Amino acid sequence: MTTPTLPRPARTAGRVFVIVLAVLVGLTVLAAAWIGIRGALAYGHLRDAQTAAVAARASLADPATAADAIAEISAETAAANRLTSDPVWRAAEGVAWIGPQLRAVSTVAASLDDVAGSALAPLVDVASSFSVDSLAPVDGRIDLAAFTALEEPAAAGAAGVRDASAALDGLDRPALLAPLRDAVDEVSDLLDEVQVGAGALARATALIPGMLGADGPRNYLILFQNNAEWRSLGGIPGAVALLSTDDGRMSLAAQESSGDFPTYDTSVLPLGPEVQGIYGERPGRWIQNVTQVPDFPLAAQLAQEMWAREHDGQRVDGVIAMDPVALSYLLEATGPVELPTGDVLTSENAVPLLLNEVYLRYENPSDQDDFFALAAASVFDALSAGGFSPADLVSALARAGDERRLLLWSAHEDDQTLLADTTLAGGLPRTDADVARFGVYLNDGTGSKMTYYAGADTTVAWTSCMAGPRGVTGQAELTVTVRNDAPADAATLPGYITGGGSFGITPGVARTVGYLYLPTGFALADATMSDGSGFGGGVHDGRRVLTFSVDLAPGETATATVRVDTAEPSASVLEVVQTPGVTASAVPTAACGSAAP
């Protein structure tokens, strides 16, 4: 018989330890199996939700069909959320390494469930009984009830999506395995996309009833920007109109030409030393120059003041700016519009007719102004009459807004707060955590309509960059090439197009004045002009501004090249906000990953 080498208490403790260890191992295995099985089931529900989401996106034009899809998505995300939120799963989230993975999965499931089950469900319930056709005017009036019914659920939906997106932003993504990190990034991008749409709907349903006179009559000054004579925000306000609204009804109360406004001795409003240092007092002395400063809230307030001075102190409730290219988009919705002159205005001919052919046809500026007034009034009448697809109209307005051809400022503080972070606001280029934005703004210095023949090619790129924990550092390069594409015999064009030698510029030559805004957080490294000229500039609201001026004969080009260094860690994506021209162009962008560090 073998005698134990350990005393009984020690042997008993050992057996207890082995038993406890076995139990713990068994529980761990069971917990792992439990989590694995529930995770696999949750994955299946999320995949089914993704399939339903694709169907919902394809059926958005039919709110009733989209409502059924959202209900299906909600059922799947709710199941996934239940599977990843039980006590075992939550406890495992505290375990090293595996915990962040599990927390990411449960956060994704909960966020998607919050969006589908809570944020969007009330909105979809209302939208299921909503018809886009109800937005079309009937007897010249838009029924505002459709907007007011959507306002509260739209606001709640936008807030819910924003909270869900913030929950994903709070995850420790570097700690995640690559496949899971990619999946989280994909969901995050999806929520960002939904957030943009939900926010736009919430703003629209909050803004439109008041703008259309739900709370009493309002007046809006419309500036028709003429892209044939560049200004930073698009073109000179060549024609203006007063739009009156009351309980959903709209009417053109007045139409005038910019020539009806005088030259003021001094700026109608204080411009501030920074603006005056770059632009002088010109934006505040001529209505044709209010859009020279690329800050529409300032431009709108200058126009509001000028209108008040010439119309017995009448202060408009807001200012809207649009150009003939935006008008051509509206004509895609309304279809061709016949003018009293016998001309038929279409989406294809609106731009060349209004920006060039009218000057070849009519020598007298007042006749040109009359033609513009007829065109604007005829398109407005077509819109007021209805008989078009509201969905097409919304699409046209959205396209014009995305291209910064449709701008809006409100004198009502609550409305302006809603507009502030949108492209409709037309503010200075803003750098945020995701995008660093340059501004490229071009102005005609010829006093003519030669910009119709001009063009600009803009590029932006990281020449070197390195990503760090706080952002990207490196050097970026912006190039702007201005062209004069006028025919060789441009000097023979009517004097109203060439400027006729005004300002000492030879007919056919186009003078372009550029204002280049550097992103906040960047420092100027170098700047050159291909023609050997130099730059002026200043600082505008914390942004370094470079200015240049070039005179180009037909067929000539000039290029400005600007290099900047990050003064502090920056967003990885570069973007350029630029003056909208006669034709649409892609927004120049560059990501750090596309450049070699």
Side-chain angles (χ1 to χ4, degrees), residues 62-84:
D62 181 358
T65 303
D68 293 338
I70 291 293
E72 182 180 350
I73 294 170
S74 178
E76 299 293 351
T77 57
N81 190 20
R82 287 193 299 272
L83 288 165
T84 58

Side-chain angles (χ1 to χ4, degrees), residues 44 69 89 260 296 439-440 500 537 543 577 596:
W89 190 288
D260 296 326
F296 189 64
V440 173
R543 299 160 177 83
V577 178

Side-chain angles (χ1 to χ4, degrees), residues 514-590:
Y515 301 91
L516 308 181
Y517 280 63
L518 309 188
T520 53
F522 283 74
L524 179 64
D526 184 41
T528 58
M529 289 295 302
S530 61
D531 63 357
S533 60
F535 293 87
V539 176
H540 187 182
D541 196 20
R543 299 160 177 83
R544 177 76 180 270
V545 183
L546 302 180
T547 65
F548 67 85
S549 178
V550 292
D551 291 357
L552 301 175
E556 291 184 340
T557 65
T559 299
T561 302
V562 178
R563 296 182 182 86
V564 294
D565 294 322
T566 52
E568 56 191 46
S570 166
S572 62
V573 176
L574 305 174
E575 184 178 287
V576 181
V577 178
Q578 55 191 343
T579 298
V582 174
T583 58
S585 58
V587 176
T589 60

Side-chain angles (χ1 to χ4, degrees), residues 62-405:
D62 181 358
T65 303
D68 293 338
I70 291 293
E72 182 180 350
I73 294 170
S74 178
E76 299 293 351
T77 57
N81 190 20
R82 287 193 299 272
L83 288 165
T84 58
S85 59
D86 65 278
V88 174
W89 190 288
R90 292 300 186 196
E93 288 182 0
V95 177
W97 185 77
I98 193 64
Q101 323 302 319
L102 299 178
R103 190 177 305 112
V105 173
S106 63
T107 300
V108 167
S111 297
L112 292 177
D113 188 37
D114 287 343
V115 170
S118 302
L120 297 185
L123 177 59
V124 172
D125 287 342
V126 175
S128 62
S129 60
F130 171 80
S131 172
V132 177
D133 291 338
S134 65
L135 302 180
V138 177
D139 296 329
R141 180 180 179 274
I142 296 176
D143 184 4
L144 301 180
F147 293 100
T148 54
L150 286 169
E151 182 176 355
E152 186 173 335
V161 175
R162 184 172 59 249
D163 292 343
S165 181
L168 289 188
D169 290 341
L171 292 174
D172 182 11
R173 299 203 189 176
L176 302 181
L177 294 171
L180 182 56
R181 183 168 59 247
D182 292 343
V184 171
D185 289 343
E186 182 179 347
V187 173
S188 182
D189 291 342
L190 173 64
L191 288 181
D192 287 344
E193 181 181 337
V194 174
Q195 187 175 349
V196 170
L201 179 62
R203 283 189 293 269
T205 54
L207 280 169
I208 290 176
M211 289 186 61
L212 292 180
D215 305 317
R218 287 194 182 184
N219 291 305
Y220 290 87
L221 186 64
I222 303 178
L223 306 179
F224 294 100
Q225 294 198 83
N226 189 326
N227 311 96
E229 189 170 347
W230 264 333
R231 289 295 182 271
S232 294
L233 292 173
I236 66 164
V240 299
L242 185 68
L243 174 68
S244 295
T245 66
D246 187 9
D247 192 29
R249 295 188 181 276
M250 296 181 290
S251 61
L252 282 182
Q255 287 184 275
E256 297 183 10
S257 164
S258 59
D260 296 326
F261 290 77
T263 298
Y264 300 96
D265 293 335
T266 59
S267 177
V268 296
L269 294 175
L271 296 177
E274 288 188 348
V275 172
Q276 278 196 234
I278 300 170
Y279 301 95
E281 284 202 326
R282 292 184 297 275
R285 296 185 59 207
W286 287 271
I287 194 169
Q288 296 92 334
N289 286 336
V290 296
T291 50
Q292 185 179 10
V293 182
D295 181 12
F296 189 64
L298 173 59
Q301 290 174 73
L302 291 170
Q304 180 197 46
E305 178 64 24
M306 292 178 184
W307 179 269
R309 291 195 181 194
E310 306 309 315
H311 296 84
D312 300 322
Q314 181 188 29
R315 304 198 71 77
V316 295
D317 294 282
V319 179
I320 302 168
M322 63 184 303
D323 64 15
V325 181
L327 193 67
S328 74
Y329 299 161
L330 299 183
L331 287 165
E332 292 179 3
T334 65
V337 172
E338 185 172 357
L339 307 184
T341 60
D343 295 281
V344 177
L345 200 62
T346 70
S347 59
E348 291 79 18
N349 71 8
V351 173
L353 179 58
L354 296 175
L355 294 182
N356 185 246
E357 293 172 21
V358 66
Y359 303 116
L360 300 173
R361 182 187 303 183
Y362 301 110
E363 186 175 341
N364 190 325
S366 64
D367 293 334
Q368 300 163 5
D369 294 339
D370 290 342
F371 188 86
F372 292 136
L374 286 174
S378 298
V379 174
F380 177 80
D381 289 343
L383 292 170
S384 299
F388 55 85
S389 166
D392 290 343
L393 179 63
V394 170
S395 177
L397 292 172
R399 182 181 178 187
D402 289 343
E403 295 178 8
R404 300 178 185 265
R405 300 182 185 279

